[in-house]
């Protein structure tokens, strides 16, 4: 009666209608003789979204966090030295997981608003002449702060100092929405999930694994960290026959088929460009709002999938989110951890278009003014409109 509740959080994202309908089917037999044909084509196409030809992809019935755990358990041993950096809630949680699983973490603390400290990593790698560092971890898109890091630059740093460490990338909020090149960038383990760029409900942990990481898996000491549910070996054995070692989330796999058809049909390049255009409109709006600014410290860090926005001095971001939700039926992302109360987020990834984002900007604007911000009504929307009018979509 009163329209839809609008979702502008950085995951779960809006599920496109064709994807939703593709999952509205009767339960099916996951041991049916024709199931392998479906699975093998699906995994093959999933690789295309990761931009890889060699290696493997794994799909676990879990959230993205399960795929993180799998990446670590299957390729590293307890006590292995790894490089990590912390600059937001998600990179923070990954460090926490690595420590709890027993890795020896050399952590760089970075100001929130910036990303992976490439120079710092490079210096540590260069100093590690005995090659004790086994892996370098990068959160490509820090969803808490709206910061995107340069993964190609991390690969270049590894190559320049001739270091053999594996490259781990958290791409949960970037893969299938921001440029990501598994093979070109020499990424060894890339983690994603179903509910962000893939435009599905939560429930699939998705992992891209290079040939080098598959070799590391063979060498890993099973007596160390141990693994069972997330074991690569079990998954490989059954995936090679087109099945899974336990009940797969068949509905979500059907949805993934549809979402991959949409993404690959448009072309990944087009998908990345579309996200850039959508994001830029939001950034123009933020720039037009007096007293508001992006949490990301400069355009080189700004994310194309989520913008974290500081509210003006004295305006509690929680009031903005509350007002948007109750008064304008619009969900905005909250400020996580130390950004709580200081910032809110607009998720601009997945199934969205400029008019939907003008709605999000309008809701945020009204809620900001209601919460005491001295901004001009319509100023952000007008700035976004200018950008969307001046640019042409490249499809999808
Ligand atoms: C959402 C997100 C996660 C966590 O994924 P879940 O599916 O919630 O487990 C991890 N890293 C990043 C960057 C994310 O955006």
């Amino acid at each position: 009666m009163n329209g839809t509740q609008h979702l502008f959080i950085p995951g779960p994202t809006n599920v496109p209608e064709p994807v939703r309908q593709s999952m509205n089917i009767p339960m099916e037999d996951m041991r049916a003789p024709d199931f392998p044909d479906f699975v093998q084509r699906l995994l093959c196409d999933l690789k295309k979204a990761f931009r890889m030809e060699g290696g493997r992809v794994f799909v676990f019935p879990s959230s993205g966090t399960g795929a993180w755990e799998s990446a670590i358990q299957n390729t590293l041993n307890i006590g292995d030295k790894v490089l990590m950096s912390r600059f937001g809630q998600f990179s923070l949680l990954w460090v926490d997981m690595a420590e709890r699983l027993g890795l020896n973490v050399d952590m760089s603390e970075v100001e929130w608003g910036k990303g992976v400290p490439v120079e710092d990593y490079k210096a540590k790698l260069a100093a590690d002449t005995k090659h004790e560092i086994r892996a370098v971890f990068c959160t490509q898109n820090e969803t808490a702060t709206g910061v995107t890091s340069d993964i190609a630059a991390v690969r270049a740093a590894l190559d320049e100092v001739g270091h053999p460490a594996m490259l781990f990338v958290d791409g949960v909020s970037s893969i299938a929405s921001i440029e990501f090149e598994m093979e070109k960038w020499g990424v060894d383990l890339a983690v994603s999930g179903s509910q962000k760029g893939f435009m599905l409900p939560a429930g699939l942990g998705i992992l891209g694994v290079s040939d080098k990481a598959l070799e590391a898996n063979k060498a890993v000491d099973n007596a160390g960290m141990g693994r069972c549910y997330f074991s690569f070996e079990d998954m490989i054995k059954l995936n090679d026959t087109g099945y899974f070692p336990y009940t797969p989330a068949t509905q979500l796999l059907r949805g993934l088929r549809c979402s991959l058809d949409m993404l690959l049909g448009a072309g990944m390049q087009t998908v990345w460009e579309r996200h850039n255009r959508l994001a830029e409109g939001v950034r123009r709006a933020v720039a037009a709002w007096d007293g508001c600014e992006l949490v990301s410290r400069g355009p080189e860090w700004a994310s194309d999938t989520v913008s974290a926005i500081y509210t003006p001095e004295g305006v509690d971001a929680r009031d903005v989110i509350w007002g948007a939700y109750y008064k304008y039926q619009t969900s905005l992302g909250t400020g996580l951890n130390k950004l709580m109360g200081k910032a809110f987020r607009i998720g601009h990834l997945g199934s969205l278009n400029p008019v939907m984002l003008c709605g999000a900007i309008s809701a945020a604007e009204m809620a900001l003014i209601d919460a005491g911000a001295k901004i001009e009504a319509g100023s952000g929307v007008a700035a976004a409109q200018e950008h969307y009018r001046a640019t042409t979509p490249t499809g999808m």
Side-chain angles (χ1 to χ4, degrees):
M1 256 177 17
N2 50 358
T4 42
Q5 183 76 30
H6 306 287
L7 191 63
F8 295 104
I9 59 172
T13 65
N14 295 283
V15 176
E17 208 43 37
V19 174
R20 199 154 68 171
Q21 283 167 13
S22 73
M23 294 185 287
N24 186 9
I25 50 167
M27 290 308 117
E28 65 185 301
D29 174 7
M30 84 289 191
R31 299 195 207 286
D34 56 354
F35 196 62
D37 180 47
F38 164 68
V39 170
Q40 277 160 346
R41 276 188 298 118
L42 183 74
L43 295 179
C44 178
D45 284 343
L46 187 53
K47 278 175 143 185
K48 294 178 191 159
F50 277 70
R51 314 278 277 184
M52 60 195 287
E53 282 174 12
R56 280 184 173 270
V57 283
F58 295 116
V59 179
F60 297 102
S62 80
S63 81
T65 305
W68 279 0
E69 188 152 327
S70 176
I72 293 173
Q73 288 173 337
N74 281 282
T75 59
L76 295 168
N77 287 309
I78 288 177
D80 276 353
K81 186 165 174 183
V82 298
L83 287 189
M84 299 187 86
S85 45
R86 193 156 76 180
F87 40 79
Q89 180 66 6
F90 293 95
S91 45
L92 177 154
L93 286 173
W94 210 10
V95 170
D96 178 58
M97 175 189 280
E99 286 175 342
R100 282 158 66 178
L101 290 175
L103 297 180
N104 171 10
V105 179
D106 181 345
M107 208 235 337
S108 304
E109 198 79 66
V110 177
E111 176 195 348
W112 286 35
K114 293 186 174 172
V116 174
V118 181
E119 288 310 313
D120 205 23
Y121 274 13
K122 191 174 171 184
K124 286 178 177 178
L125 289 164
D128 180 36
T129 50
K130 286 200 234 134
H131 293 168
E132 283 172 348
I133 298 168
R134 294 286 326 283
V136 173
F137 285 58
C138 303
T139 300
Q140 185 188 7
N141 191 69
E142 175 49 81
T143 318
T145 57
V147 163
T148 301
S149 292
D150 186 349
I151 304 303
V154 178
R155 166 46 59 201
L158 280 157
D159 290 349
E160 277 161 34
V161 302
H163 201 293
M166 287 182 283
L167 177 55
F168 279 53
V169 175
D170 173 354
V172 181
S173 62
S174 49
I175 292 172
S177 36
I178 292 176
E179 180 181 13
F180 179 81
E181 295 278 3
M182 180 91 185
E183 219 142 87
K184 195 159 103 189
W185 296 345
V187 175
D188 293 299
L189 286 119
V191 178
S192 194
S194 48
Q195 78 277 23
K196 295 183 185 174
F198 289 103
M199 310 176 289
L200 291 163
L204 298 180
I206 305 174
L207 198 53
V209 185
S210 73
D211 286 319
K212 179 170 152 187
L214 289 170
E215 284 308 309
N217 171 241
K218 287 184 192 143
V220 85
D221 173 9
N222 205 10
M225 222 173 274
R227 59 200 172 276
C228 175
Y229 184 78
F230 288 119
S231 156
F232 284 5
E233 300 93 309
D234 293 1
M235 199 55 122
I236 289 170
K237 210 185 298 167
L238 271 295
N239 276 180
D240 278 348
T241 67
Y243 297 100
F244 289 87
Y246 32 66
T247 318
T250 51
Q251 233 75 355
L252 290 171
L253 297 179
R254 293 289 169 187
L256 181 59
R257 175 72 267 164
C258 184
S259 113
L260 284 173
D261 287 343
M262 292 175 81
L263 291 164
L264 300 173
M268 297 315 290
Q269 191 79 38
T270 301
V271 171
W272 304 333
E273 285 169 16
R274 186 171 60 83
H275 281 86
N276 179 262
R277 176 170 182 247
L278 292 175
E280 188 55 32
V282 174
R283 292 192 279 265
R284 299 284 174 96
V286 175
W289 290 337
D290 276 339
C292 288
E293 61 175 332
L294 291 171
V295 174
S296 55
R297 301 288 84 196
E300 71 275 27
W301 297 113
S303 163
D304 281 346
T305 57
V306 53
S307 293
I309 301 154
Y310 282 120
T311 48
E313 198 61 44
V315 176
D316 192 321
R318 283 166 290 201
D319 294 340
V320 178
I321 294 157
W322 193 92
Y325 187 79
Y326 283 110
K327 227 171 141 185
Y328 308 117
Q329 287 171 265
T330 298
S331 283
L332 302 172
T334 188
L336 294 171
N337 198 315
K338 60 181 168 192
L339 295 176
M340 179 73 76
K342 297 199 173 92
F344 68 95
R345 293 174 298 156
I346 298 179
H348 33 78
L349 74 162
S351 182
L352 292 172
N353 57 45
V355 171
M356 291 165 83
L357 278 173
C358 284
I361 294 163
S362 170
E365 209 161 67
M366 292 190 283
L368 275 162
I369 296 169
D370 293 344
K374 303 269 177 292
I375 64 174
E376 199 183 322
S379 56
V381 175
Q385 285 175 333
E386 277 301 308
H387 177 69
Y388 296 138
R389 287 184 52 235
T391 52
T392 310
T394 44
M396 196 170 172

